Amino acid sequence: MEKQKKITSNFIYKIIHKDLFINKYKYIHTRFPPEPNGYLHLGHAKSICLNFNLAKIFKGKCNLRFDDTNPNTKHEKYINKIKNDILWLGFKWDGKTRYSSDYFDQIYNFAIKLIKKNLAYVEELSLKEVRKNRGSLTRKGKQSPYRNRKIKENLILFEKMKNGEFKEGSACLRAKINMQSSCVLMRDPILYRIRFKNHHRTKNKWCIYPTYDFSHCISDSIENITHSLCTLEFQENKKLYNWILKKVSTDFVPKQYEFSRMNLEYSIMSKRKLKILIEKKLVSGWNDPRIPTLAGIRRRGYTASSIREFCNRIGITKQESTISESMLEFFIKKELNFNSYRLMAVINPLLLIIENFPDEYEEKIEISNHPYNNMGKRTVIFNKKIYIERSDFMENPKLEYKRLSLGKKVKLRNSYIIKANRIEKNKHGYITKVYCNYYSNIKKNNYKFSKLGIIHWVSEKNNIPAEFRFYDRLFTHPNPEKLDNFLSFFNKDSLIIKHGFIEKNIKKHHINYPVQFERIGYFFADKFNYKKDYPVFNLTAKLSSYLNR
Ligand code: ATP
Ligand code: MG
């Protein structure tokens, strides 16, 4: 219900609703058009949720179209990853996978059409000169000496371009629009350039490739996209989008609408920048759990449903906004609180010896796997030596300290009440052991002691050593995306590896299922590094109780 409410309140929903109401369209058709030059990130998830959900709500269709106009040998590497990520998010595109390159023939014919209408010409100035002559917002554009070539000459030259008779960079095709336009993009934009590169699909059929602006609107039109949704930086391009479609007179004219990009606090979203982090080996790859790629946050334990809910709740507007990390965490924590298995782990261990507990005795304690969900029970072993967190003991505590200290009682989670008697230190003054007594006669759930602090523990004999990977914000600056020197704000402590112990109850199913290590946080097993006798866990989100320690 919530989800529905939020989607229906966004401005694009309202536009579509009206378009259908006034019978402008019989049904709607959207598309998601990624460039296969990296993995999908949370920003893409926002666009995916928008496009696919609108199609779903209005019983329309949503295409997946790879924008592969720019030949790049790496394209193939990313295509399957992107498809898998969309499916994982819970969406399925209509019909076959599409590619802008499917339309290279049609796009080429439209270029010829523009030349024949005297609306495009072959430019032979260098790219540098083209850029210089284009001017800026404050500087007027200057016409190229090649602008007034005859149609016939342009047709011959464009044919030569296509046949590989020009060197890369020595010619391009430009639209003939208006060099004085207040919109710089409309000052004779480039439509085709020469690239002697193998294309992952069309191989060496072409050595001229359309620009994004030229191919995108035509591809939308060929696919009968009714509402072409993109991010705000394409607002200016809309003029060109509409100009091209009008001048090549396609059968169908889609309409473009823009919404703001998603930015995440203390993080970066752009693929280009993420690639720099990977190339510089500051992160381990596209699926490093610290970066906001879907592969990264999935490895960290984020679920598709939590991401969908997050994307739907942040809404669609035209205002630039940066989302806080806590907002993202909120949705996953809500879900994990409900469905993660509870287990006990001790990360920074302190040995506790229970002096009045029989030496070799092992007591089996049955514990629920979840405080209120029926997720079964498990047995943990309690014995004379146990580990607790070092931070759960203080030699000289303040009055309000509620955990273990000398002469004070504390409750061991799911187990007995204990009192600390004395400590042992090494020659550096570091506490090595705490000697305690336990109260075998106090029932484990005695309400009289309900105000006592509760601490978690793991048997010293009955445990598995494990690795815990704690993740923190990627940058120390809240808006690194906006900075040229963003790398100098990289948080060197964004990954901290800790070692500790977990109760022996870790089972196969925990590998694909979230766990909460009680009083620490939610974790997800790292499949790439997991060993049965030495499991590795990625932190999804800390519990607030842990933050306060
Ligand atoms: P990047 O800068 O990360 O490469 P992009 O816009 O170039 O982003 P594309 O693969 O071309 O990436 O994007 C596919 C679709 O996803 C586009 O419609 C684009 O507008 C949308 N998109 C990309 N990044 C974001 C974002 N941060 N927020 C919302 N939508 C986004
Ligand atoms: Mg891009």
Side-chain angles (χ1 to χ4, degrees):
M1 265 332 273
E2 253 326 297
K3 182 170 125 187
Q4 205 84 346
K5 195 175 115 207
K6 199 68 211 180
I7 296 172
T8 55
S9 65
N10 85 52
F11 75 100
I12 298 176
Y13 172 93
K14 286 178 183 157
I15 290 170
I16 296 179
H17 192 266
K18 186 171 159 227
D19 285 348
L20 290 170
F21 185 74
I22 61 171
N23 254 329
K24 187 166 169 187
Y25 306 107
K26 287 217 160 32
Y27 64 90
I28 65 147
H29 207 144
T30 57
R31 88 285 173 266
F32 175 64
E35 187 182 348
N37 60 348
Y39 281 38
L40 295 184
H41 50 59
L42 274 175
H44 292 119
K46 173 176 175 176
S47 174
I48 293 170
C49 289
L50 176 69
N51 280 293
F52 283 90
N53 278 333
L54 285 170
K56 209 185 270 177
I57 290 176
F58 290 108
K59 298 194 170 48
K61 292 175 179 174
C62 181
N63 289 357
L64 167 63
R65 182 202 318 138
F66 285 103
D67 166 25
D68 61 354
T69 41
N70 205 358
N72 182 333
T73 47
K74 300 245 168 68
H75 276 166
E76 240 159 1
K77 179 175 148 193
Y78 296 115
I79 285 171
N80 275 334
K81 299 281 180 200
I82 292 176
K83 282 162 110 175
N84 287 340
D85 278 352
I86 299 172
L87 295 172
W88 175 78
L89 254 190
F91 298 104
K92 178 78 185 87
W93 49 96
D94 182 66
K96 60 175 189 175
T97 307
R98 292 150 217 262
Y99 300 85
S100 309
S101 57
D102 293 342
Y103 314 126
F104 277 172
D105 286 315
Q106 281 135 295
I107 298 170
Y108 174 77
N109 289 335
F110 282 131
I112 301 279
K113 194 166 178 181
L114 286 183
I115 297 175
K116 285 185 175 163
K117 285 172 103 175
N118 203 12
L119 289 172
Y121 60 97
V122 172
E123 171 67 278
E124 283 181 83
L125 289 178
S126 70
L127 202 60
K128 209 170 147 197
E129 282 167 299
V130 170
R131 244 182 242 137
K132 199 175 120 212
N133 289 351
R134 184 172 288 155
S136 64
L137 278 178
T138 51
R139 201 159 40 84
K140 281 196 175 152
K142 203 172 124 196
Q143 286 202 3
S144 162
Y146 300 103
R147 196 175 199 263
N148 293 319
R149 280 181 148 147
K150 296 270 176 305
I151 293 175
K152 208 167 160 196
E153 190 188 357
N154 279 318
L155 285 172
I156 293 168
L157 291 173
F158 190 49
E159 175 76 14
K160 280 190 170 176
M161 270 174 68
K162 179 178 166 250
N163 294 338
E165 292 174 40
F166 277 101
K167 276 206 281 226
E168 208 170 295
S170 63
C172 63
L173 185 75
R174 290 179 78 175
K176 196 189 271 191
I177 307 181
N178 178 6
M179 287 307 287
Q180 308 304 317
S181 172
S182 57
C183 169
V184 180
L185 261 167
M186 295 296 274
R187 296 181 190 167
D188 293 8
I190 296 174
L191 303 179
Y192 260 96
R193 62 245 132 112
I194 301 168
R195 291 267 188 287
F196 288 101
K197 254 189 173 177
N198 227 324
H199 188 279
H200 75 114
R201 302 190 75 234
T202 58
K203 307 297 173 206
N204 59 2
K205 178 175 174 193
W206 299 92
C207 65
I208 52 169
Y209 291 94
T211 52
Y212 171 85
D213 279 323
F214 194 42
S215 67
H216 194 76
C217 53
I218 293 176
S219 306
D220 277 349
S221 165
I222 291 172
E223 292 179 12
N224 285 353
I225 300 303
T226 53
H227 299 78
S228 172
L229 314 178
C230 61
T231 37
L232 278 179
E233 70 274 19
F234 291 100
Q235 213 155 9
E236 284 283 287
N237 303 55
K238 180 151 70 182
K239 288 195 185 88
L240 182 55
Y241 186 104
N242 293 338
W243 184 91
I244 294 170
L245 291 183
K246 190 168 167 210
K247 299 300 180 190
V248 301
S249 36
T250 50
D251 297 334
F252 186 84
V253 182
K255 212 152 172 232
Q256 178 185 306
Y257 297 94
E258 310 87 22
F259 60 95
S260 63
R261 288 179 93 80
M262 178 201 287
N263 299 305
L264 196 61
E265 231 179 42
Y266 297 98
S267 191
I268 48 171
M269 205 65 95
S270 125
K271 279 179 277 180
R272 195 177 58 78
K273 289 187 173 157
L274 289 172
K275 213 176 261 173
I276 295 174
L277 290 187
I278 296 166
E279 279 161 7
K280 293 204 174 292
K281 298 207 167 19
L282 288 166
V283 298
S284 63
W286 285 102
N287 65 354
D288 188 300
R290 285 169 289 181
I291 59 174
T293 52
L294 297 184
I297 59 174
R298 175 167 65 228
R299 188 165 162 198
R300 213 173 144 164
Y302 275 79
T303 59
S305 50
S306 70
I307 295 169
R308 286 197 305 266
E309 195 178 353
F310 166 70
C311 289
N312 294 334
R313 291 289 194 92
I314 58 170
I316 301 292
T317 65
K318 279 188 179 279
Q319 269 86 50
E320 273 285 337
S321 71
T322 302
I323 314 286
S324 70
E325 308 156 285
S326 53
M327 175 88 170
L328 178 62
E329 267 192 20
F330 173 81
F331 293 102
I332 187 68
K333 276 183 161 177
K334 195 174 99 181
E335 212 179 286
L336 296 182
N337 180 39
F338 186 73
N339 65 8
S340 63
Y341 277 92
R342 269 46 170 185
L343 288 173
M344 290 198 285
V346 169
I347 291 180
N348 191 6
L350 173 62
L351 185 62
L352 222 114
I353 298 172
I354 304 175
E355 296 187 281
N356 60 342
F357 197 86
D359 279 356
E360 298 303 324
Y361 184 58
E362 293 197 335
E363 184 175 338
K364 288 183 176 146
I365 302 175
E366 202 172 59
I367 311 181
S368 293
N369 289 327
H370 194 280
Y372 54 88
N373 253 347
N374 187 9
M375 291 173 75
K377 289 184 187 303
R378 66 185 193 280
T379 306
V380 292
I381 305 290
F382 184 78
N383 49 6
K384 196 175 179 80
K385 292 181 183 173
I386 59 171
Y387 288 129
I388 62 162
E389 295 289 347
R390 203 157 265 282
S391 57
D392 280 337
F393 178 80
M394 260 185 128
E395 192 180 355
N396 300 306
K398 290 202 178 109
L399 212 60
E400 65 270 19
Y401 189 68
K402 285 202 78 181
R403 288 164 261 149
L404 192 61
S405 59
L406 290 175
K408 280 217 161 172
K409 289 196 187 75
V410 80
K411 184 167 165 31
L412 292 173
R413 185 134 185 93
N414 302 307
S415 179
Y416 294 105
I417 289 169
I418 55 167
K419 187 166 103 180
N421 302 328
R422 61 196 168 92
I423 54 176
E424 209 172 281
K425 292 182 180 176
N426 65 13
K427 62 178 182 194
H428 307 292
Y430 188 72
I431 303 172
T432 50
K433 284 175 195 138
V434 179
Y435 291 89
C436 302
N437 271 4
Y438 85 115
Y439 295 86
S440 58
N441 52 347
I442 302 178
K443 279 244 159 59
K444 289 180 187 121
N445 50 2
N446 189 323
Y447 74 96
K448 265 205 245 163
F449 296 92
S450 59
K451 288 231 165 68
L452 281 186
I454 299 177
I455 63 174
H456 61 274
W457 56 277
V458 166
S459 156
E460 184 251 7
K461 214 164 146 193
N462 234 279
N463 66 53
I464 308 175
E467 181 172 311
F468 306 87
R469 298 186 175 178
F470 279 77
Y471 300 104
D472 203 347
R473 48 183 56 152
L474 197 52
F475 290 92
T476 53
H477 191 284
N479 266 313
E481 193 97 60
K482 303 253 183 314
L483 308 173
D484 289 333
N485 62 340
F486 68 101
L487 283 180
S488 46
F489 292 92
F490 182 78
N491 178 10
K492 293 190 182 65
D493 295 325
S494 51
L495 165 64
I496 298 213
I497 296 183
K498 297 186 183 188
H499 305 273
F501 302 99
I502 52 179
E503 55 177 273
K504 251 193 173 150
N505 282 302
I506 198 82
K507 297 263 162 51
K508 241 191 176 158
H509 61 258
H510 292 126
I511 299 172
N512 280 312
Y513 210 85
V515 293
Q516 183 201 94
F517 290 124
E518 297 200 47
R519 299 181 66 237
I520 302 173
Y522 298 103
F523 287 80
F524 201 70
D526 190 285
K527 282 194 199 91
F528 303 97
N529 295 290
Y530 198 93
K531 288 192 207 85
K532 215 173 141 210
D533 53 355
Y534 196 72
V536 175
F537 289 93
N538 291 319
L539 172 77
T540 316
K542 280 181 197 162
L543 287 168
S544 47
S545 53
Y546 189 82
L547 293 176
N548 297 335
R549 276 199 259 164

